[in-house]
Amino acid sequence: MAESNDAVSLDMEKIYLGGKEHFIRTGCGSVSVIVYGDQEKPALITYPDLALNHMSCFQGLFFCPEAASLLLHNFCIYHISPPGHELGAASIFPDDPVPSVDDLADQILEVLNFFGLGAVMCMGVTAGAYILSLFAMKYRERVLGLILVSPLCKSPSWTEWFYNKVMSNMLYFYGMCGLLKECLLQRYFSKEVRGSAEVPESDIVQACRKLLEERQSSNVFRFLQAINRRPDITEGLKSLRCRTLIFVGDSSPFHSEALHMTAKLDRRYSALVEVQACGSMVTEEQPHAMLIPMEYFFMGYGLYRPCHFSDSPRSPLSPSCISPELLSPESMGLKLKPIKTRVSLGR
Protein backbone atom coordinates (compact mmCIF):
# COMPACT_ATOMS: atom_id res chain seq x y z
CA MET A 1 0.00 0.00 0.00
CA ALA A 2 1.56 3.29 -1.09
CA GLU A 3 2.07 5.94 1.59
CA SER A 4 2.01 9.68 1.13
CA ASN A 5 5.32 11.48 1.70
CA ASP A 6 3.52 14.16 3.69
CA ALA A 7 3.17 13.30 7.36
CA VAL A 8 -0.47 13.16 8.35
CA SER A 9 -1.75 12.57 11.85
CA LEU A 10 -4.27 9.77 11.98
CA ASP A 11 -7.14 10.58 14.29
CA MET A 12 -6.07 8.00 16.86
CA GLU A 13 -4.72 9.03 20.25
CA LYS A 14 -4.35 7.23 23.55
CA ILE A 15 -3.37 8.51 26.97
CA TYR A 16 -0.41 6.84 28.71
CA LEU A 17 0.30 8.24 32.20
CA GLY A 18 -0.25 11.76 30.96
CA GLY A 19 1.27 11.12 27.52
CA LYS A 20 -0.65 11.30 24.26
CA GLU A 21 -0.07 8.85 21.41
CA HIS A 22 -0.07 10.11 17.82
CA PHE A 23 0.01 7.86 14.76
CA ILE A 24 1.80 9.69 11.98
CA ARG A 25 1.74 8.48 8.41
CA THR A 26 5.14 8.85 6.74
CA GLY A 27 6.76 7.89 3.46
CA CYS A 28 7.67 4.44 4.82
CA GLY A 29 4.60 3.65 6.89
CA SER A 30 2.80 4.73 10.02
CA VAL A 31 4.80 5.46 13.16
CA SER A 32 3.68 5.86 16.78
CA VAL A 33 4.91 8.87 18.77
CA ILE A 34 3.94 9.33 22.42
CA VAL A 35 4.30 12.91 23.65
CA TYR A 36 4.85 13.77 27.32
CA GLY A 37 4.98 17.28 28.71
CA ASP A 38 4.70 20.87 27.59
CA GLN A 39 5.16 21.20 23.84
CA GLU A 40 6.40 24.77 24.33
CA LYS A 41 9.59 23.35 25.83
CA PRO A 42 12.62 22.12 23.86
CA ALA A 43 12.11 18.64 22.40
CA LEU A 44 13.86 15.43 23.40
CA ILE A 45 13.18 12.46 21.13
CA THR A 46 13.85 8.86 22.12
CA TYR A 47 14.33 5.73 20.01
CA PRO A 48 14.51 2.24 21.61
CA ASP A 49 16.45 -0.90 20.84
CA LEU A 50 15.25 -3.91 18.88
CA ALA A 51 11.86 -5.36 19.95
CA LEU A 52 11.35 -2.59 22.53
CA ASN A 53 9.32 0.59 22.87
CA HIS A 54 9.39 3.43 25.39
CA MET A 55 7.67 1.31 28.07
CA SER A 56 10.34 -1.40 28.00
CA CYS A 57 13.38 0.75 27.17
CA PHE A 58 13.01 4.13 28.93
CA GLN A 59 10.51 3.55 31.73
CA GLY A 60 13.22 2.88 34.31
CA LEU A 61 14.92 6.18 33.54
CA PHE A 62 11.71 8.20 33.63
CA PHE A 63 10.54 6.47 36.80
CA CYS A 64 13.79 7.51 38.52
CA PRO A 65 12.56 10.68 40.31
CA GLU A 66 15.74 12.75 39.94
CA ALA A 67 16.16 11.88 36.25
CA ALA A 68 12.47 12.47 35.56
CA SER A 69 12.62 15.91 37.18
CA LEU A 70 15.72 16.80 35.14
CA LEU A 71 14.22 15.65 31.84
CA LEU A 72 10.59 16.69 32.21
CA HIS A 73 11.51 20.08 33.69
CA ASN A 74 13.60 20.94 30.64
CA PHE A 75 12.02 19.03 27.76
CA CYS A 76 8.89 17.83 26.09
CA ILE A 77 9.51 14.14 25.44
CA TYR A 78 8.68 12.51 22.10
CA HIS A 79 8.96 8.72 22.32
CA ILE A 80 9.24 7.33 18.77
CA SER A 81 8.64 3.60 18.34
CA PRO A 82 10.15 1.60 15.47
CA PRO A 83 7.38 0.70 13.01
CA GLY A 84 5.01 -1.82 14.58
CA HIS A 85 6.70 -1.79 18.01
CA GLU A 86 4.13 0.36 19.85
CA LEU A 87 1.80 -1.10 22.47
CA GLY A 88 -1.03 -3.03 20.85
CA ALA A 89 0.48 -2.85 17.35
CA ALA A 90 -0.97 -5.07 14.63
CA SER A 91 1.21 -6.95 12.19
CA ILE A 92 2.48 -4.78 9.35
CA PHE A 93 1.13 -5.88 5.97
CA PRO A 94 3.59 -8.50 4.59
CA ASP A 95 3.76 -6.88 1.15
CA ASP A 96 4.95 -3.54 2.58
CA PRO A 97 8.65 -3.08 1.79
CA VAL A 98 11.09 -3.49 4.68
CA PRO A 99 12.51 -0.04 5.48
CA SER A 100 16.25 0.50 5.49
CA VAL A 101 18.07 2.29 8.30
CA ASP A 102 18.15 5.35 6.02
CA ASP A 103 14.37 5.13 5.67
CA LEU A 104 14.00 5.01 9.45
CA ALA A 105 16.27 8.06 9.86
CA ASP A 106 14.23 9.92 7.24
CA GLN A 107 11.07 8.92 9.08
CA ILE A 108 12.35 10.80 12.15
CA LEU A 109 12.66 13.93 10.01
CA GLU A 110 9.03 13.56 8.98
CA VAL A 111 8.02 13.23 12.64
CA LEU A 112 9.91 16.41 13.53
CA ASN A 113 8.35 18.28 10.62
CA PHE A 114 4.87 17.09 11.58
CA PHE A 115 5.22 18.51 15.11
CA GLY A 116 6.90 21.67 13.82
CA LEU A 117 10.11 20.94 15.73
CA GLY A 118 13.44 22.54 14.89
CA ALA A 119 16.65 21.21 16.46
CA VAL A 120 16.07 18.48 19.06
CA MET A 121 17.94 16.55 21.74
CA CYS A 122 18.15 12.82 20.95
CA MET A 123 18.38 9.75 23.20
CA GLY A 124 18.69 6.24 21.76
CA VAL A 125 19.59 2.74 22.92
CA THR A 126 21.74 0.36 20.81
CA ALA A 127 19.85 -0.01 17.49
CA GLY A 128 17.93 3.17 18.32
CA ALA A 129 21.25 4.93 19.03
CA TYR A 130 22.45 3.92 15.57
CA ILE A 131 19.30 5.31 13.92
CA LEU A 132 19.65 8.63 15.79
CA SER A 133 23.38 8.87 15.01
CA LEU A 134 22.60 8.34 11.33
CA PHE A 135 19.86 10.97 11.57
CA ALA A 136 22.33 13.42 13.14
CA MET A 137 24.80 12.82 10.31
CA LYS A 138 22.16 13.32 7.62
CA TYR A 139 20.39 16.30 9.19
CA ARG A 140 22.98 18.04 11.36
CA GLU A 141 21.00 21.24 11.75
CA ARG A 142 18.13 19.31 13.38
CA VAL A 143 20.15 17.85 16.28
CA LEU A 144 21.19 19.76 19.42
CA GLY A 145 22.88 16.82 21.11
CA LEU A 146 23.05 13.03 21.29
CA ILE A 147 22.72 10.81 24.37
CA LEU A 148 23.61 7.32 23.17
CA VAL A 149 23.31 4.17 25.28
CA SER A 150 25.43 1.17 24.20
CA PRO A 151 25.44 2.48 20.62
CA LEU A 152 26.22 0.77 17.33
CA CYS A 153 28.15 2.50 14.56
CA LYS A 154 29.89 -0.24 12.57
CA SER A 155 28.26 -2.72 10.22
CA PRO A 156 27.57 -6.04 11.94
CA SER A 157 30.55 -8.24 12.73
CA TRP A 158 30.35 -11.82 11.50
CA THR A 159 29.40 -12.89 15.01
CA GLU A 160 26.60 -10.33 15.32
CA TRP A 161 25.43 -10.98 11.76
CA PHE A 162 25.18 -14.73 12.45
CA TYR A 163 23.47 -14.15 15.81
CA ASN A 164 20.95 -11.83 14.15
CA LYS A 165 20.31 -14.40 11.42
CA VAL A 166 19.56 -17.02 14.05
CA MET A 167 17.12 -14.64 15.75
CA SER A 168 15.55 -13.82 12.36
CA ASN A 169 14.96 -17.50 11.68
CA MET A 170 13.39 -17.99 15.11
CA LEU A 171 11.12 -15.00 14.53
CA TYR A 172 10.11 -16.23 11.11
CA PHE A 173 9.43 -19.85 12.03
CA TYR A 174 8.52 -19.78 15.74
CA GLY A 175 7.55 -16.19 16.55
CA MET A 176 8.40 -14.65 19.93
CA CYS A 177 9.38 -18.02 21.45
CA GLY A 178 11.10 -18.60 24.78
CA LEU A 179 14.56 -19.09 23.29
CA LEU A 180 14.31 -15.86 21.31
CA LYS A 181 13.30 -13.94 24.43
CA GLU A 182 16.37 -15.32 26.20
CA CYS A 183 18.57 -14.13 23.33
CA LEU A 184 17.07 -10.64 23.54
CA LEU A 185 17.36 -10.49 27.34
CA GLN A 186 21.05 -11.37 27.03
CA ARG A 187 21.37 -8.49 24.56
CA TYR A 188 19.76 -6.04 27.00
CA PHE A 189 20.82 -7.05 30.52
CA SER A 190 23.82 -8.19 32.53
CA LYS A 191 23.94 -11.63 34.09
CA GLU A 192 23.64 -9.98 37.53
CA VAL A 193 19.98 -9.12 36.89
CA ARG A 194 19.13 -12.02 34.55
CA GLY A 195 19.57 -14.39 37.47
CA SER A 196 20.72 -17.99 37.67
CA ALA A 197 19.70 -21.32 39.13
CA GLU A 198 20.42 -19.92 42.59
CA VAL A 199 19.33 -16.30 42.11
CA PRO A 200 15.93 -15.36 40.64
CA GLU A 201 15.84 -12.87 37.79
CA SER A 202 15.14 -9.28 38.76
CA ASP A 203 11.82 -7.49 38.46
CA ILE A 204 13.03 -5.43 35.48
CA VAL A 205 13.91 -8.57 33.53
CA GLN A 206 10.56 -10.17 34.37
CA ALA A 207 8.74 -7.03 33.26
CA CYS A 208 10.72 -6.87 30.01
CA ARG A 209 10.03 -10.55 29.30
CA LYS A 210 6.31 -9.92 29.70
CA LEU A 211 6.40 -6.87 27.40
CA LEU A 212 8.29 -8.88 24.75
CA GLU A 213 5.37 -11.30 24.60
CA GLU A 214 3.22 -8.47 23.26
CA ARG A 215 5.48 -7.75 20.26
CA GLN A 216 4.37 -8.88 16.83
CA SER A 217 7.17 -11.18 15.68
CA SER A 218 6.82 -10.13 12.03
CA ASN A 219 7.34 -6.47 12.97
CA VAL A 220 10.43 -7.28 15.04
CA PHE A 221 11.71 -9.35 12.11
CA ARG A 222 11.48 -6.30 9.84
CA PHE A 223 13.41 -4.04 12.22
CA LEU A 224 16.04 -6.73 12.74
CA GLN A 225 16.47 -7.06 8.97
CA ALA A 226 17.09 -3.32 8.68
CA ILE A 227 19.63 -3.35 11.53
CA ASN A 228 21.43 -6.42 10.18
CA ARG A 229 21.90 -4.65 6.83
CA ARG A 230 23.18 -1.40 8.33
CA PRO A 231 26.28 0.23 6.84
CA ASP A 232 29.32 1.37 8.79
CA ILE A 233 28.93 5.06 9.68
CA THR A 234 32.29 5.43 11.44
CA GLU A 235 33.75 7.77 8.81
CA GLY A 236 30.92 10.27 9.27
CA LEU A 237 31.33 10.54 13.05
CA LYS A 238 34.20 13.05 12.91
CA SER A 239 31.96 15.47 11.04
CA LEU A 240 29.41 15.60 13.88
CA ARG A 241 29.51 18.91 15.74
CA CYS A 242 26.72 18.29 18.22
CA ARG A 243 27.70 17.26 21.72
CA THR A 244 27.55 13.54 22.35
CA LEU A 245 27.30 11.69 25.67
CA ILE A 246 27.77 7.91 25.49
CA PHE A 247 26.81 5.43 28.21
CA VAL A 248 27.72 1.75 28.04
CA GLY A 249 27.50 -1.09 30.52
CA ASP A 250 30.77 -2.96 30.91
CA SER A 251 28.84 -6.24 30.50
CA SER A 252 27.17 -5.10 27.27
CA PRO A 253 27.80 -7.23 24.16
CA PHE A 254 28.36 -3.87 22.44
CA HIS A 255 30.92 -2.50 24.90
CA SER A 256 33.79 -2.55 22.40
CA GLU A 257 31.60 -0.89 19.78
CA ALA A 258 30.87 2.01 22.16
CA LEU A 259 34.60 2.42 22.83
CA HIS A 260 35.26 2.41 19.08
CA MET A 261 32.60 5.05 18.50
CA THR A 262 33.96 7.25 21.28
CA ALA A 263 37.45 7.08 19.79
CA LYS A 264 36.13 8.25 16.40
CA LEU A 265 34.16 11.23 17.72
CA ASP A 266 35.68 14.66 18.20
CA ARG A 267 36.90 14.63 21.80
CA ARG A 268 36.03 18.30 22.28
CA TYR A 269 32.35 17.46 21.94
CA SER A 270 32.03 13.93 23.34
CA ALA A 271 32.34 11.95 26.56
CA LEU A 272 32.06 8.31 27.59
CA VAL A 273 30.57 6.89 30.80
CA GLU A 274 31.18 3.20 31.47
CA VAL A 275 28.78 1.71 33.99
CA GLN A 276 30.07 -1.26 35.92
CA ALA A 277 28.08 -4.46 36.46
CA CYS A 278 25.55 -3.37 33.83
CA GLY A 279 24.37 -4.63 30.46
CA SER A 280 23.40 -2.65 27.37
CA MET A 281 20.20 -1.11 28.66
CA VAL A 282 21.57 1.31 31.26
CA THR A 283 18.24 3.19 31.09
CA GLU A 284 16.54 0.23 32.77
CA GLU A 285 19.26 -1.56 34.70
CA GLN A 286 21.07 1.39 36.32
CA PRO A 287 19.25 4.61 35.38
CA HIS A 288 20.63 6.39 38.48
CA ALA A 289 24.13 6.10 36.94
CA MET A 290 23.01 8.40 34.13
CA LEU A 291 21.89 11.30 36.33
CA ILE A 292 25.11 13.17 37.21
CA PRO A 293 26.66 12.89 33.71
CA MET A 294 23.39 14.09 32.15
CA GLU A 295 23.24 17.02 34.57
CA TYR A 296 26.72 18.16 33.51
CA PHE A 297 25.88 17.53 29.87
CA PHE A 298 22.73 19.67 30.04
CA MET A 299 24.51 22.44 31.94
CA GLY A 300 26.37 23.10 28.72
CA TYR A 301 23.01 24.10 27.27
CA GLY A 302 21.98 26.15 30.31
CA LEU A 303 19.61 23.44 31.55
CA TYR A 304 19.36 22.14 35.10
CA ARG A 305 17.30 20.20 37.59
CA PRO A 306 14.47 22.27 39.18
CA CYS A 307 15.47 21.43 42.75
CA HIS A 308 18.70 23.35 42.20
CA PHE A 309 17.06 26.62 41.20
CA SER A 310 13.64 28.20 41.48
CA ASP A 311 13.27 29.79 38.05
CA SER A 312 10.19 29.28 35.92
CA PRO A 313 9.90 25.81 34.35
CA ARG A 314 9.21 27.57 31.04
CA SER A 315 12.54 29.45 31.27
CA PRO A 316 15.23 26.89 32.12
CA LEU A 317 18.14 29.21 31.24
CA SER A 318 20.11 30.71 34.09
CA PRO A 319 23.69 31.31 32.88
CA SER A 320 24.64 33.35 35.94
CA CYS A 321 24.12 30.29 38.13
CA ILE A 322 26.32 28.02 36.00
CA SER A 323 30.10 27.92 35.91
CA PRO A 324 31.18 29.66 32.67
CA GLU A 325 33.47 26.79 31.68
CA LEU A 326 30.50 24.43 31.55
CA LEU A 327 28.95 26.54 28.81
CA SER A 328 31.98 26.03 26.55
CA PRO A 329 31.74 23.13 24.09
CA GLU A 330 35.53 22.84 24.09
CA SER A 331 35.49 22.21 27.83
CA MET A 332 32.79 19.57 27.78
CA GLY A 333 35.20 16.70 27.21
CA LEU A 334 37.25 17.87 30.17
CA LYS A 335 34.25 18.15 32.45
CA LEU A 336 32.93 14.78 31.34
CA LYS A 337 36.06 12.68 31.53
CA PRO A 338 35.53 8.96 30.94
CA ILE A 339 34.48 7.63 34.31
CA LYS A 340 33.33 4.36 35.74
CA THR A 341 30.47 4.18 38.18
CA ARG A 342 30.63 1.52 40.84
CA VAL A 343 27.70 -0.16 42.53
CA SER A 344 27.56 -2.56 45.41
CA LEU A 345 26.14 -5.92 44.47
CA GLY A 346 25.64 -6.87 48.07
CA ARG A 347 21.96 -6.95 48.95
Side-chain angles (χ1 to χ4, degrees):
M1 179 176 160
E3 300 281 6
S4 165
N5 284 328
D6 295 326
V8 178
S9 177
L10 303 183
D11 188 23
M12 300 170 66
E13 297 175 343
K14 299 177 185 176
I15 303 299
Y16 290 110
L17 298 174
K20 184 178 288 187
E21 183 172 30
H22 302 258
F23 285 92
I24 299 167
R25 179 168 286 175
T26 72
C28 59
S30 178
V31 61
S32 164
V33 183
I34 296 185
V35 181
Y36 288 88
D38 181 354
Q39 290 183 257
E40 295 297 316
K41 292 182 180 180
L44 183 150
I45 66 171
T46 72
Y47 209 102
D49 191 19
L50 175 71
L52 303 176
N53 53 39
H54 77 288
M55 288 292 289
S56 44
C57 195
F58 298 103
Q59 184 170 262
L61 179 64
F62 282 89
F63 277 17
C64 178
E66 296 87 354
S69 69
L70 173 68
L71 295 169
L72 292 171
H73 176 72
N74 290 302
F75 298 102
C76 181
I77 314 298
Y78 297 77
H79 290 300
I80 302 175
S81 291
H85 280 53
E86 68 272 12
L87 292 169
S91 294
I92 297 173
F93 193 61
D95 290 343
D96 285 358
V98 175
S100 66
V101 288
D102 273 291
D103 292 331
L104 295 174
D106 293 341
Q107 191 174 60
I108 293 172
L109 180 66
E110 293 190 71
V111 169
L112 266 56
N113 290 342
F114 171 77
F115 286 107
L117 303 175
V120 300
M121 191 70 68
C122 299
M123 180 187 294
V125 176
T126 312
Y130 177 93
I131 300 296
L132 291 177
S133 300
L134 179 60
F135 173 73
M137 290 167 55
K138 294 183 73 171
Y139 306 103
R140 294 176 196 169
E141 73 285 354
R142 304 301 289 272
V143 177
L144 288 172
L146 290 168
I147 301 172
L148 307 176
V149 181
S150 304
L152 307 174
C153 67
K154 296 189 287 187
S155 54
S157 64
W158 280 110
T159 303
E160 187 198 344
W161 181 89
F162 179 76
Y163 199 75
N164 289 346
K165 277 293 182 182
V166 170
M167 289 200 295
S168 293
N169 286 335
M170 284 193 282
L171 282 164
Y172 186 83
F173 290 107
Y174 305 109
M176 192 60 74
C177 60
L179 181 57
L180 176 66
K181 282 185 278 190
E182 292 304 321
C183 291
L184 289 170
L185 292 172
Q186 287 182 28
R187 174 188 177 99
Y188 308 146
F189 298 110
S190 68
K191 62 183 179 182
E192 283 83 1
V193 294
R194 291 202 314 272
S196 62
E198 295 79 26
V199 181
E201 65 183 18
S202 70
D203 291 344
I204 58 168
V205 176
Q206 291 179 22
C208 187
R209 184 190 299 277
K210 185 174 181 180
L211 287 166
L212 285 173
E213 293 173 1
E214 300 173 4
R215 295 285 81 75
Q216 293 286 347
S217 57
S218 58
N219 299 349
V220 177
F221 177 81
R222 292 163 62 87
F223 190 28
L224 181 56
Q225 281 188 299
I227 293 301
N228 214 27
R229 296 170 182 168
R230 69 182 187 270
D232 191 320
I233 57 172
T234 300
E235 287 305 310
L237 294 175
K238 277 287 185 188
S239 65
L240 285 178
R241 286 295 174 264
C242 66
R243 301 181 187 190
T244 304
L245 177 58
I246 295 178
F247 294 92
V248 64
D250 65 0
S251 298
S252 168
F254 308 107
H255 180 261
S256 62
E257 184 117 355
L259 300 185
H260 169 80
M261 185 173 189
T262 304
K264 297 300 180 181
L265 287 165
D266 190 324
R267 292 188 178 185
R268 294 175 299 167
Y269 305 108
S270 60
L272 170 69
V273 179
E274 295 177 80
V275 183
Q276 292 195 341
C278 187
S280 298
M281 203 153 45
V282 185
T283 50
E284 290 293 316
E285 193 168 341
Q286 291 196 36
H288 56 276
M290 299 178 66
L291 178 62
I292 300 299
M294 283 198 306
E295 283 200 85
Y296 278 110
F297 184 69
F298 290 144
M299 280 181 184
Y301 299 89
L303 306 173
Y304 54 82
R305 216 161 17 124
C307 61
H308 288 179
F309 311 106
S310 58
D311 293 359
S312 165
R314 288 286 189 98
S315 303
L317 300 177
S318 185
S320 62
C321 299
I322 299 170
S323 301
E325 63 269 21
L326 290 174
L327 300 176
S328 166
E330 290 76 12
S331 298
M332 196 196 77
L334 297 175
K335 282 290 170 184
L336 290 177
K337 290 179 181 177
I339 62 172
K340 294 198 175 192
T341 60
R342 298 180 180 274
V343 295
S344 170
L345 297 178
R347 304 260 172 166

